[in-house]
Amino acid sequence: MSDRTSFEVIVLGGGPAGTAAATLLARRSHEVVLVRPPSPPAGQLAESVPPSARRLLSELGVLDAVEAAGFYANTGNTVWWANANARGERFGGNEPGFHVDRVGLERVLVAAAEACGVRLLLGMSARSAVQSEHGWSVTCEGTDGEILELSAPWLIDATGRHGLLAREVREPDRSTTTLALVRRFRRPGGWGDDVLGQTLIESYEDGWVWSVPLSAEIRCTTAMVDQRHADLSGVHVGAMLDTELAKTRHLGVLLEHATPEDDGWACPASLYCASQYARPGLALAGDAGSFIDPLSSYGVKKALASGWLAGVTAHTSLIDAPMTQVAVDFFDAREREVYRSYRRRAAEFFEEAADAYEHAYWSTRAEAARTAGGEGDGLDTDRLEAPGASPVPERDVRTAFEQIRARGSLSAVRGSTVRTVERAAISHQRIVLEQHLATDRHPEGIRFVRSVDLRTMSELAPEHEQVPDLWSAYNGVEAPVPLPDFLTALATAFAAGMLEHRND
Ligand SMILES: Cc1cc2nc3c(=O)[nH]c(=O)nc-3n(C[C@H](O)[C@H](O)[C@H](O)COP(=O)(O)OP(=O)(O)OC[C@H]3O[C@@H](n4cnc5c(N)ncnc54)[C@H](O)[C@@H]3O)c2cc1C
C-alpha cells in the first residue's frame, strides 16, 4: 500500500459485496481503496454458492480465480421440508456451484480485486465516516492502534452485519430473531454417495438445520433457532446444537457417526433491511443493507450482485455527474425489490412449515415474511441477478410462444396500450436513461430481451407474416441475434401486450 490517502471510491469490507464493487470500479479505471479488518468474525462459516453465481463471477472477471481456488464442488441440494419426502435438486455436472469456507472465499476475492488494481488496506477497520460537501473522510484504525484518514467522493459500505453507516438506516425484522449455531463435523469414509457434494436442509418443529460439505469428510452444520428462546449463558454451543439435531429425522442420524472438529460457535442471523440503500456519494452493498434467510443459499450471490450494482452506481456518478440521482434511485429501488422478493419466496417455505408443525416459530416467520415481501411475483433470481432482464413471467412467454407456433401467420399489430417511457437501465456497466416500451400489463417498460431491441422488432413485426422473414428483416437493421433469442423476444413482446395478433 502506498502512502496515498485520497481516492475516488473507498470500499469498506472485503466480503463478496465489497470485493465485487471494488473490482468493477478498478476495472473501470477508478482509484479505489478497500479496507478490511484482519479476519472476518465468522471465520469458520461454510457457505454453499449455487452454479448460477458463476455468471456474476464471470462478469466481474474473477470466475477463473474462484475455480482455481479448488473449492469443493456444489452438486445440488437435498431438502426434507415440512415433513415431506426428500426433494432433490441436482446441478449440471460440468458447471457445479461451490462450497466455500468464508475466509477462503474472501481471500480469493480480495486477491482478485488487488490484481485488478484495487488498493488494499488490510488489517484495518473503519471507525467513523463523515460526509461533507468535499466528500467523505473516513477514519481507519489498525490492530496496533495506527490511525489513517482516507478521503473520497464516494463510499461503499459493505461491512456486512456490522454496517458501519448502514446501522443508521437499518430496519430490523422485529417479530422474529434468529441465532445460528454452527459446528464442523468429520465423518471418516464420507457421508454416503447419495449426498456427495450436496447441501442438506431439514426443517423441524421449531427450527431448521443445514449442512454444507467442505470436503468428502467434513461438513459444517448449522441450526437456526429462535434467539429469544436460546440462553447462551454457561451453555456449550455444541450441546445446544446436539439438542436441535436430536429433533431432526435425517440430519441427526447422518451425524451419528461423525465427530466434532471444533467446539461450535454461534452468530446472529436475524433479518433486517434498510430504509434507504443509497444517496449521492454512498451505497450500502450486500449484507450491510439487508440480510435474508440463508435458507435460499443466495446470500453470497445477492451480495455479489449488490456490490456489482453499487460499483455501477458509483461509476455512473463519477463519469456522468448529472446522472447521479438517477443511478442512486435505481440502486435503491433494486435493493428494495431484491429484499422483498427473497422474503416472498421465504414466505412460501415458512407457510408450508407452519402448516406441518403448527408452531409459533414458523407461523411468526411466515407472517413476517409475507408482510415484508408485499405483493408481487415469487422470486425470479435471473431477473435479480441480471438487472434489466425481462420482467415478463416465463409462463406467459411460453403461452405466447405456443400461440405463435399454432398460427399459420403472425398477423401482428401494435398492442392497443403500447406507449414509450423513459427508464433507467444498465448499459455497459453504466446506468443510462433509455426509451422503453410500456403497456398496461407492464407499465415499468422493457427495451431489450436477450439483446433483441423490442422497439425495432415491434415496428417491423406488422410488415411480416412469417417469423423467419421478420427475423431476417430484424437482423438486417440491428446486430444479428440467434433465432432462439429472437423467438423468446417475440413471444415476450406478445406476452407483454406490445404486439397483438390481428383478429384476436
Ligand atoms: C449462519 C449463516 C450461514 C450462511 N450460509 C450461507 C450459504 O450457505 N450460502 C450463501 O450464499 N450465503 C450464506 N450466508 C450469507 C452470507 O454469508 C452473506 O450473505 C454474505 O457473506 C454477505 O456478503 P457481504 O460482503 O455483504 O458481507 P460479509 O461477507 O459479512 O463481509 C463483510 C466484510 O466487512 C468487513 N468489515 C466489518 N466491519 C468493518 C469495518 N468497520 N471496516 C472495514 N471492514 C469491515 C468484514 O471483515 C468483512 O470483510 C450465511 C449467513 C449466515 C449468518
Side-chain angles (χ1 to χ4, degrees), residues 51 74-75 90-97:
N74 179 359
T75 60
R90 298 276 163 150
F91 304 142
N94 293 339
E95 298 209 320

Side-chain angles (χ1 to χ4, degrees), residues 148-182:
L148 192 67
E149 299 284 342
L150 299 174
S151 64
W154 264 88
L155 177 67
I156 295 177
D157 180 357
T159 54
R161 183 170 287 270
H162 175 72
L164 185 79
L165 285 149
R167 260 178 303 181
E168 291 166 18
V169 290
R170 192 162 280 175
E171 294 185 339
D173 180 6
R174 296 197 187 283
S175 56
T176 64
T177 58
T178 306
L179 185 71
L181 310 171
V182 191

